């Protein structure tokens, strides 16, 4: 590669700053996995349709297979490896384990990152396509339909959806953000 097709970027991945030179055409997913050894995000479809590569970029969920690494320059990226704080699982991670929100585990990292992001979106009062009441005076009710819609970008080949939905709703209720 020539200097014209490469850029030097800085990524804050799971609270560790990385400065690296990348081909301008490489995805964030490939840089995370191949260059940084962060293997939580999975390459499932490589087309942004399955959600296995979901990470948080500056707190917002993104499918990392569709984000160019150069477009993430200076961003804070959180993968499933960065969700636990000082070795302690987040409530959503505990709920996934307790309620069996995974089977083979392939989609679990993306599901967890997506759940963290969607719970933050819900807490901020952002409506979804199925939100019944979109009044600005609070978060919409977080029922099964709402969770399923908000998590619809994350596919599970094993069919752990009922347990994933229960884990999200239970976590929201424990955090006081359920509708």
């Amino acid at each position: 590669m020539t200097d014209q097709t490469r850029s030097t970027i800085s990524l804050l991945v799971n609270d560790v700053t990385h400065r690296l030179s990348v081909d301008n055409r490489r995805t964030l997913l490939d840089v995370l996995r191949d260059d940084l050894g962060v293997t939580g995000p999975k390459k499932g479809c490589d087309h942004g349709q399955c959600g296995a590569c979901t990470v948080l970029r500056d707190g917002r969920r993104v499918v990392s297979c569709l984000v160019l690494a150069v477009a993430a320059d200076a961003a804070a990226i959180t993968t499933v490896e960065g969700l636990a704080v000082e070795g302690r699982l987040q409530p959503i991670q505990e709920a996934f384990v307790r309620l069996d929100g995974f089977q083979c585990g392939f989609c679990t990292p993306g599901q967890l990152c997506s759940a963290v992001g969607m719970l933050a979106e819900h807490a901020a009062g952002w409506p979804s396509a199925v939100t019944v009441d979109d009044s600005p005076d609070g978060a919409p009710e977080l029922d099964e339909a709402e969770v399923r819609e908000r998590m619809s970008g994350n596919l599970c080949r094993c069919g752990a959806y009922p347990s994933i939905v229960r884990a999200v709703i239970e976590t929201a209720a424990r955090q006081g953000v359920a509708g």
Side-chain angles (χ1 to χ4, degrees), residues 3-36:
D3 287 342
Q4 296 171 338
T5 60
R6 296 189 73 77
S7 296
T8 300
I9 63 171
S10 177
L11 295 174
L12 180 64
V13 179
N14 300 328
D15 295 325
V16 176
T17 301
H18 301 274
R19 200 152 164 75
L20 53 161
S21 175
V22 298
D23 182 312
N24 295 334
R25 300 164 291 187
R26 293 196 57 221
T27 65
L28 176 59
L29 175 62
D30 289 336
V31 168
L32 288 170
R33 291 184 61 80
D34 300 338
D35 298 356
L36 301 180

Side-chain angles (χ1 to χ4, degrees), residues 28-83:
L28 176 59
L29 175 62
D30 289 336
V31 168
L32 288 170
R33 291 184 61 80
D34 300 338
D35 298 356
L36 301 180
V38 179
T39 58
K42 303 296 188 247
K43 186 175 277 200
C45 67
D46 214 19
H47 296 304
Q49 298 172 340
C50 72
C53 67
T54 302
V55 298
L56 301 172
R57 175 184 172 184
D58 296 326
R60 304 268 316 265
R61 54 192 171 149
V62 298
V63 284
S64 59
C65 72
L66 295 183
V67 176
L68 292 175
V70 294
D73 184 26
I77 306 298
T78 303
T79 68
V80 70
E81 293 92 343
L83 291 180

